[in-house]
Amino acid sequence: MMMSEIAKDRMARSVRKRGSVSSLNGREFWQKELHGNTKKNTVSFTDEPSQRDNASRLTVQMENTYQLGPTKHFPAVIVNHILKDVLTNYLQEEQYEPELCRQMTKTISEVIKTQVKDLMIPRYKLIVIVHIGQLKSQSILIGSRCLWDPKSDTFSSYVFRNSSLFALASVYAVYFE
Amino acid sequence: MSTRHRSFRNLLNATAQYHCHCHEVGFNADEAHNIVKECIDGVLGGEDYDQNNINQWTANIVEQSLTHVVKLGKAYKYIVTCAVVQRSAYGFHTASLCFWDTTSDGTCTVRWENRTMNCIVSVFTIAIVL
């Protein structure tokens, strides 16, 4: 009777510990699960997922897909419309302000990323870049070059201007073989 | 009989070396940082902002950065972006967000400035699984 109560107590404690953990990277979470199941009282600490930790993990070996190319290509035209809509909606009436535009770049890139992800194009990695600047008489030039497979990878970009600011959003899509 | 055995062993060694090369995990951002900085210094160092040449300069920076980074010999796809702004009292913001595999892919951004202009070069690398 006593033993089962102690065991139950330990299980409850380990469950509570699991519950309090919010954002771990995958490996540490599974370690906690294992310890809970074997009823051992362990103390483990979590650290921020750092570059060092990730690099020490072995590369994941992916199974061969035997596909020569993407089954569904990245729709650059649809993404262009997405960029136009997002930029126009967020920036149509805005004036250039340093703090506002700093937040805007981050929010806009998040919004674009979620909308492109909702298109559910499989096996594509995305890079979203947003530039916002004050529209005055200064000069600016933005350029990019890519080394990739042009049959499967592509990009899409859109420039938005209003009376006080300009914004450039570009999305690069790289196929993951 | 012995020559065939030796050539088979050589082939095994060659493939083993090839595989070891592929298991180098992660992107070395410091190396790329230095390479890109040297490229920018070479193209823009000592120059003033010039409307006529800026197109040529941006193209040179991006192409040279790309060729030098490729010479590192890693199995990556590369995206290099360069923004050159005339130095003024006016604001400019940049943000980038990447949806990829954080263990194998990486990025590196270099900011450079002189008296008349600011230059921001970003290198994104996506691993090719061989």
Side-chain angles (χ1 to χ4, degrees), chain B residues 3 5 11 14 23-24 28 40-42 50 57-58 61 63 65 67 77 90 94-95 102 109 111 115 120 126-127 129:
Chain B
T3 49
H5 194 240
L11 182 64
H23 281 315
E24 281 169 18
N28 193 346
I40 307 178
D41 283 332
D50 185 2
W57 289 339
T58 330
I61 291 174
E63 278 166 22
S65 309
T67 30
K77 292 183 181 177
Y90 310 120
T94 310
T102 44
T109 311
R111 280 177 296 275
R115 207 172 43 91
I120 299 176
I126 295 121
V129 178

Side-chain angles (χ1 to χ4, degrees), chain A residues 59 61 96 98 113 125-126 128-132 134 139-147 153 172 174-175, chain B residues 23 25 49 51 58 62-63 70 77-78 80-84 86 90-99 105:
Chain A
T59 37
Q61 290 289 340
Y96 180 84
K113 186 202 77 168
K125 294 181 177 176
L126 305 170
V128 180
I129 304 178
V130 176
H131 306 265
I132 298 185
Q134 203 173 1
S139 175
I140 178 171
L141 190 72
I142 301 176
S144 75
R145 282 280 190 289
C146 311
L147 183 74
D153 307 325
Y172 298 88
V174 181
Y175 180 66
Chain B
H23 281 315
V25 171
Y49 190 88
Q51 184 71 25
T58 330
V62 177
E63 278 166 22
V70 163
K77 292 183 181 177
Y78 296 99
V80 181
T81 11
C82 169
V84 181
Q86 196 178 14
Y90 310 120
F92 179 64
H93 298 267
T94 310
S96 73
L97 193 144
C98 307
F99 175 63
D105 309 325

Side-chain angles (χ1 to χ4, degrees), chain B residues 6-124:
Chain B
R6 221 182 302 138
S7 64
F8 183 62
R9 210 183 319 140
N10 287 341
L11 182 64
L12 266 180
N13 285 339
T15 46
Q17 281 170 358
Y18 185 69
H19 270 289
C20 288
H21 189 65
C22 288
H23 281 315
E24 281 169 18
V25 171
F27 165 63
N28 193 346
D30 296 323
E31 234 179 324
H33 195 279
N34 292 334
I35 291 173
V36 171
K37 193 157 183 309
E38 278 173 24
C39 287
I40 307 178
D41 283 332
V43 176
L44 293 182
E47 302 273 0
D48 280 342
Y49 190 88
D50 185 2
Q51 184 71 25
N52 303 325
N53 292 335
I54 190 63
N55 216 341
Q56 187 71 31
W57 289 339
T58 330
N60 284 345
I61 291 174
V62 177
E63 278 166 22
Q64 281 178 25
S65 309
L66 193 55
T67 30
H68 282 111
V69 167
V70 163
K71 277 185 196 157
L72 294 174
K74 305 269 172 64
Y76 283 124
K77 292 183 181 177
Y78 296 99
I79 296 172
V80 181
T81 11
C82 169
V84 181
V85 198
Q86 196 178 14
R87 231 174 144 173
S88 54
Y90 310 120
F92 179 64
H93 298 267
T94 310
S96 73
L97 193 144
C98 307
F99 175 63
W100 59 25
D101 182 359
T102 44
T103 51
S104 56
D105 309 325
T107 176
C108 166
T109 311
V110 179
R111 280 177 296 275
W112 184 95
E113 64 182 16
N114 75 358
R115 207 172 43 91
T116 45
M117 49 189 171
N118 283 327
C119 177
I120 299 176
V121 176
S122 314
V123 180
F124 302 92

